[in-house]
Amino acid sequence: MQALRKTAIGYGYDGYALPDRRRAVPQPSPRREPVPRQKLYKKVQVKYVLHPAQRQKRKSAFLNCMTILLSFVLLSAVVTGYAQISSVNLENNAIQANIDELKAEVAELQLEISTKCDIQEVTEVAGKDLDMGFPESAQVEYVAFAQPVEEASTESEQEEGWFSVAWNSLVGLFK
C-alpha cells in the first residue's frame, strides 16, 4: 500500500507535487556539421536492350494488331453505310407505294370527271334533277370581247440603252 501511496504522491494526487521530468521539454543537443564525403562509386546505369529478333517480333505483332483494328473500323463503316442505304430504300419503297395509290386514285377521279362532264350526262341531269330545258332564242345573248390594243413602241424607247431603262425603273420605285 505504501508503494501505491508513493506513486499517487508522485502523480500529485495528495497535493504533493514532485517535479515532473516527463513534462520538461528536452533541449536539443547541438548538431555537428556533416562531413562532406566524396563519392567513391558511380551509379550503375542499366540499359534494357532487346535482341533484334525480339524487337522485330514485337514490331510485327504491333503492326498486325493495327492492321486488324483498321480493317475492323473499315468493315464497320461499310456495314453502317449499307444499313443507311437499306433504311433509305425502305423509305423509298413506302413513298413509291403511296405514289402508286395516289396515281390509282387520280385515274379513278379522272374517269369520274370524264363521265360527269359528258354532254349527254349533263343534259340528262339538267332535265330530270334540275328541271332545266334548252334556252329559246330570246334567252341567248352573245358577248363579244374587244381585242387588246398594243401600243406601238416609240423610237425614243428603242434608242434608250439598258442603263437608262434601269435608271428609270429605279427612279420609278422611289416616286
Side-chain angles (χ1 to χ4, degrees):
M1 198 61 168
Q2 194 73 334
L4 286 174
R5 182 169 279 196
K6 282 183 182 179
T7 307
I9 291 172
Y11 283 102
Y13 287 102
D14 282 340
Y16 299 110
L18 295 176
D20 191 8
R21 290 184 188 159
R22 285 179 275 166
R23 291 187 186 181
V25 178
Q27 296 294 328
S29 60
R31 293 188 168 214
R32 295 184 297 167
E33 292 285 328
V35 179
R37 294 184 184 175
Q38 293 181 354
K39 293 185 180 180
L40 300 175
Y41 60 89
K42 290 185 177 180
K43 285 189 177 179
V44 178
Q45 294 182 358
V46 178
K47 287 187 176 180
Y48 184 67
V49 179
L50 288 177
H51 193 271
Q54 185 70 20
R55 186 179 298 143
Q56 183 63 30
K57 283 182 183 179
R58 286 187 180 180
K59 185 177 180 180
S60 65
F62 177 74
L63 290 176
N64 288 338
C65 289
M66 293 308 282
T67 303
I68 290 171
L69 179 67
L70 180 66
S71 61
F72 176 74
V73 168
L74 290 176
L75 287 175
S76 298
V78 168
V79 169
T80 304
Y82 278 125
Q84 289 178 349
I85 289 171
S86 65
S87 67
V88 168
N89 282 339
L90 285 174
E91 290 176 14
N92 191 13
N93 289 340
I95 291 171
Q96 189 64 37
N98 191 15
I99 289 172
D100 292 340
E101 289 175 8
L102 292 175
K103 281 184 180 180
E105 186 177 340
V106 165
E108 188 177 305
L109 291 174
Q110 284 178 346
L111 178 64
E112 187 177 326
I113 288 172
S114 66
T115 57
K116 297 277 184 183
C117 290
D118 186 27
I119 192 71
Q120 292 175 355
E121 182 74 23
V122 170
T123 55
E124 186 178 315
V125 168
K128 289 182 181 176
D129 294 340
L130 301 175
D131 294 330
M132 294 175 69
F134 284 101
E136 295 177 8
S137 61
Q139 295 175 335
V140 176
E141 286 191 31
Y142 293 100
V143 178
F145 293 104
Q147 294 287 336
V149 178
E150 293 183 22
E151 294 181 17
S153 60
T154 61
E155 292 180 19
S156 64
E157 290 180 6
Q158 291 176 355
E159 290 177 6
E160 290 183 18
W162 63 272
F163 181 75
S164 60
V165 172
W167 180 259
N168 290 336
S169 63
L170 183 65
V171 170
L173 289 175
F174 294 110
K175 284 184 180 182

